Amino acid sequence: MIRTLIAAAMATLFAAGTAGAQDFPNRPVTLVIPFSAGGSTDLVGRLIAERMSAELGQPVVVENKGGAGGNLGAAQVAKATPDGYTILMGTVATHALNPTLYKKMPYDPVTSFAPVSLLVIVPNVLVVHPDFPAKTTEELIALLKKDPDKYSYASSGNGTPLHLSGELFKSMAGVDMQHIPYQGAGPALIDVLSGQVPIMFDNLPSSTGHIKSGKLRALGVTTAKRAPSFPDLPAIAEAVPGYETYTWNAVFAPAGTPPEVVAKLNAAANKALEDPKVQARLADFSAVSVGSTPEELGEHVKKEIAKWAPIVKASGAQLD
């Protein structure tokens, strides 16, 4: 009798879960962006969230939760109810850099999440305040070698892709400058725009408008080749052979999210990337639209961890 009751209860729960997955979504979905507003991840996230809302028939509400290099926001999603109503805009930081950078992680980048879709690959860019004397990467290198203790550069935080872009540049160019970490790209950008810090490695999307308006001077992009939206802007690799960094954005759900729900989120994300208006906006700041299956994103994360782990270790960056 007891076995029969247990079996019946389990069947009821399974049926309820299946029905819930089939009805998904019947209320707003929260997209957690693990960085402050104004940065590249925020720009891409809000653009995709708006289009996903139309596809899902429910609002996709953006929630910025910055801190600990993206770990706070990512951990919030990892611990959320796995029903698809709380999802993450993951990045190379949350899923490839932080596992090596931090001594203790509040989540596992592979087992704590259900991959949904890789969205875009984003170039970084080396920018300076317009009053800064260097107008090219070569001139910056010469300036830094002449006065190695004089200049500083801003980034979105210790161990972030932008910080590591700067450290890799210092190492490969044979120069030195002080690193000034911020709690996100947005606050760092404010101080560079005001002239408080003269140099910054930023994501190209968040600096594009300021570069075009003349509020920032771009010296080079961090990808191996020039960005399509700035064909006249050299790649840093043209002055420092072999130099290359970039970031990426992807959607993740908590581990244990029903496959049917993951499939609906994946379809909405990929449909959003196909929208001509979204593609045009992404092209404006040279974010390369990718799209993927959940399985492809899972493999991408594993490859990125293997790629970045030795680079993080070589940088000497380590956080508690």
Side-chain angles (χ1 to χ4, degrees), residues 194-239:
S194 68
Q196 296 296 314
V197 183
I199 306 165
M200 180 178 178
F201 283 85
D202 190 21
N203 296 130
L204 185 53
S206 57
S207 279
T208 291
H210 301 302
I211 294 170
K212 291 182 177 180
S213 69
K215 294 179 180 179
L216 288 176
R217 178 188 301 135
L219 302 187
V221 292
T222 65
T223 42
K225 296 181 179 180
R226 299 187 180 198
S229 60
F230 288 92
D232 295 330
L233 178 62
I236 293 174
E238 294 176 37

Side-chain angles (χ1 to χ4, degrees), residues 30-137:
T30 297
L31 173 63
V32 175
I33 296 179
F35 299 98
S36 58
S40 166
T41 301
D42 183 63
L43 292 174
V44 173
R46 290 178 184 278
L47 181 65
I48 296 299
E50 182 180 359
R51 192 64 187 85
M52 284 184 70
S53 297
E55 291 298 322
L56 293 171
Q58 290 287 342
V60 177
V61 182
V62 169
E63 177 185 336
N64 292 93
K65 188 176 182 64
N71 278 357
L72 291 184
Q76 176 181 319
V77 176
K79 298 171 184 177
T81 302
D83 54 10
Y85 288 99
T86 304
I87 57 177
L88 174 72
M89 179 61 71
T91 71
V92 64
T94 60
H95 282 72
L97 304 181
N98 292 356
T100 302
L101 178 68
Y102 285 82
K103 294 179 182 179
K104 295 181 180 179
M105 286 287 289
Y107 59 87
D108 185 286
V110 175
T111 61
S112 297
F113 298 92
V116 176
S117 179
L118 181 62
L119 298 176
V120 298
I121 290 175
V122 184
N124 300 324
V125 63
L126 170 58
V127 294
V128 297
H129 188 271
D131 294 337
F132 193 72
K135 292 181 172 58
T136 65
T137 299

Side-chain angles (χ1 to χ4, degrees), residues 198-290:
I199 306 165
M200 180 178 178
F201 283 85
D202 190 21
N203 296 130
L204 185 53
S206 57
S207 279
T208 291
H210 301 302
I211 294 170
K212 291 182 177 180
S213 69
K215 294 179 180 179
L216 288 176
R217 178 188 301 135
L219 302 187
V221 292
T222 65
T223 42
K225 296 181 179 180
R226 299 187 180 198
S229 60
F230 288 92
D232 295 330
L233 178 62
I236 293 174
E238 294 176 37
V240 185
Y243 181 88
E244 181 184 18
T245 69
Y246 53 85
T247 188
W248 47 264
N249 298 125
V251 177
F252 296 86
T257 300
E260 303 95 320
V261 172
V262 171
K264 288 183 179 180
L265 291 169
N266 174 270
N270 282 293
K271 195 71 175 179
L273 291 173
E274 295 172 2
D275 185 283
K277 292 182 179 179
V278 171
Q279 290 184 353
R281 185 74 183 99
L282 291 173
D284 283 343
F285 45 70
S286 295
V288 180
S289 176
V290 181

